[in-house]
């Protein structure tokens, strides 16, 4: 499997963890620990990059949500579809805190996920919001 393909699958698995935690109203860190500790109850163990992504989102959760709230013109986090909210959190982490992935790739991958999994208006919304965060990156991490 190519690195790009494996990262794409890892992003989906990271999204699954964040989304499931939100839907079940459980702590994502607890759910992640369950997935790592008992992978036998699931199709396959979580890829290391999925674990890294979820941990990264959890490590920076306050700042990520603050940025999404600040730059999502007219949308509160609570009003966003849950899939979009989770994808935006993952995408923001990748853009701002993961130098191994080019920013444009992180944005494209996030847009592709919501195009497959969410509403018709989600892809342009996610693209615009992550694009804004990408453009502002030098000032956001200062």
């Amino acid at each position: 499997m190519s690195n790009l393909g494996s990262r794409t699958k890892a992003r989906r698995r990271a999204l699954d963890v964040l989304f499931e935690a939100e839907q079940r109203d459980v702590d994502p860190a607890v759910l992640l620990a369950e997935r790592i500790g008992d992978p036998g109850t699931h199709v396959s163990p979580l890829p290391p990059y999925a674990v890294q992504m979820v941990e990264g989102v959890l490590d920076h959760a306050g700042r990520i949500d603050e940025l999404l709230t600040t730059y999502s013109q007219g949308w509160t986090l609570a009003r966003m579809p849950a899939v979009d909210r989770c994808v935006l959190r993952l995408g923001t982490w990748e853009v701002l805190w993961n130098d191994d992935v080019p920013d444009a790739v992180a944005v494209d991958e996030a847009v592709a996920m919501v195009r497959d999994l969410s509403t018709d208006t989600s892809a342009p919304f996610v693209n615009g919001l992550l694009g804004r965060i990408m453009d502002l990156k030098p000032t956001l991490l200062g």
Side-chain angles (χ1 to χ4, degrees), residues 17-18 20-22 24-38 42 46 54-55 58:
V17 170
L18 291 180
E20 181 181 344
E22 190 168 304
R24 290 177 46 202
D25 196 24
V26 298
D27 183 336
V30 171
L31 185 61
L32 179 64
E34 287 174 9
R35 294 291 178 271
I36 294 168
D38 189 15
H42 300 279
L46 278 178
V54 173
E55 289 175 342
L58 297 177

Side-chain angles (χ1 to χ4, degrees), residues 2-90:
S2 74
N3 193 33
L4 181 64
S6 64
R7 281 226 167 126
T8 297
K9 286 183 176 154
R11 283 182 189 94
R12 287 285 176 108
R13 298 291 301 279
L15 174 62
D16 290 345
V17 170
L18 291 180
F19 184 79
E20 181 181 344
E22 190 168 304
Q23 295 306 300
R24 290 177 46 202
D25 196 24
V26 298
D27 183 336
V30 171
L31 185 61
L32 179 64
E34 287 174 9
R35 294 291 178 271
I36 294 168
D38 189 15
T41 60
H42 300 279
V43 180
S44 61
L46 278 178
Y49 189 61
V51 174
Q52 181 186 357
M53 289 188 80
V54 173
E55 289 175 342
V57 167
L58 297 177
D59 288 346
H60 299 282
R63 181 72 173 136
I64 289 170
D65 283 359
E66 173 190 324
L67 292 170
L68 293 176
T69 299
T70 299
Y71 296 108
S72 63
Q73 300 162 341
W75 285 86
T76 62
L77 280 173
R79 228 180 110 209
M80 293 175 196
V83 169
D84 297 8
R85 187 171 43 248
C86 293
V87 168
L88 283 164
R89 287 172 174 152
L90 290 165

Side-chain angles (χ1 to χ4, degrees), residues 107-127:
V107 173
D108 288 348
E109 288 281 325
V111 169
M113 278 199 290
V114 294
R115 187 176 292 125
D116 290 347
L117 301 170
S118 196
T119 70
D120 290 343
T121 58
S122 293
F125 175 72
V126 167
N127 188 55

